[in-house]
Amino acid sequence: GTYYVHVVDSEGNTASASIEAYVLTLNEGKGTSLVVKADGSTGSVVESGTGILTGTVIYAEATAMLGYDVVVLKDGSNEVENPYTVEMGSDKTLESSASLIEYIISYELNGGSVVEGRNPTSYTVESEEIILINPSREGYNFVGWTGTGLAVETLEVVISKGSTGDREYSAQWSDSQAPTVSITREDYKTFSWSATDNEGVTGYAITRSASKPTSYSEGTRGSYEIIESGTYYVHVVDSEGNTASA
């Protein structure tokens, strides 16, 4: 409003002068911090709705909060520089705004699969809590995710609301399928054998007992000459400890 100073002298003569005060309105947009000071950048902080005398230099600076970017500062409907300095000569409205940063979530499923769209590929600081859907893979057990923020293989990964930053997750598996063994007669006293597996056979043993052996030799195929009559067993083991025999 307008403030008047009235004076009178001993003869009854009067005079007056006036000065204007204007209202400063601040609209702090979501994800921003808007700081305004009177009398320049080193002056006193002023709040929205404050009356400020004409001629006062206003300093305004808007900054983005975590998870936001590209701050815009406006004086009325006009976009201005940030920081912004202006002299008060009318009512003013300063407004700050910012854009949400979209962060990327990438996955390495290592042969597994998840129903398309079940795990998001992006998020923002405002996204609700995200719990990853675990993948599946035929012949394997899922043992957990590794990646951003995970010290060990983790079966349940939660991205909390308010999180930031790009993220990468990799699916880890263990072989759940037993090897396969085949035996072929070569002649009256020799047979050959071979074994295959998802991750590779790491050892074999040939015994006269159906019981699981206590030790294995390296190999995935070979031939064996029998010594006497009876049943001969070829036992194999893979890198996950799955066994099979024939």
Side-chain angles (χ1 to χ4, degrees), residues 86-223:
V86 66
E87 184 176 307
M88 289 294 288
S90 62
D91 291 340
K92 281 193 175 297
T93 298
L94 300 182
E95 180 177 339
S96 60
S97 62
S99 303
L100 278 168
I101 299 173
E102 186 174 65
Y103 299 105
I104 303 301
I105 310 175
S106 57
Y107 305 92
E108 178 55 65
L109 299 182
N110 294 319
S113 62
V114 176
V115 175
E116 186 174 355
R118 293 295 301 277
N119 282 333
T121 56
S122 65
Y123 77 105
T124 72
V125 71
E126 294 293 336
S127 296
E128 296 299 323
E129 178 182 86
I130 299 169
I131 300 177
L132 297 189
I133 302 299
N134 292 338
S136 59
R137 182 182 178 189
E138 186 176 355
Y140 290 81
N141 294 320
F142 177 69
V143 296
W145 297 99
T146 57
T148 304
L150 304 177
V152 296
E153 294 167 341
T154 303
L155 285 171
E156 183 176 86
V157 172
V158 178
I159 304 174
S160 301
K161 184 175 182 177
S163 298
T164 58
D166 292 339
R167 293 172 176 267
E168 297 180 354
Y169 297 106
S170 178
Q172 304 302 315
W173 307 95
S174 65
D175 184 6
S176 65
Q177 186 167 300
T180 58
V181 189
S182 61
I183 296 177
T184 303
R185 188 185 73 85
E186 295 294 334
D187 58 34
Y188 74 98
K189 63 176 182 178
T190 305
F191 65 84
S192 61
W193 65 273
S194 63
T196 58
D197 180 70
N198 282 340
E199 296 297 318
V201 173
T202 57
Y204 78 96
I206 299 175
T207 70
R208 298 290 303 282
S209 169
S211 300
K212 185 177 178 179
T214 57
S215 62
Y216 296 86
S217 301
E218 291 186 6
T220 60
R221 62 182 63 247
S223 60

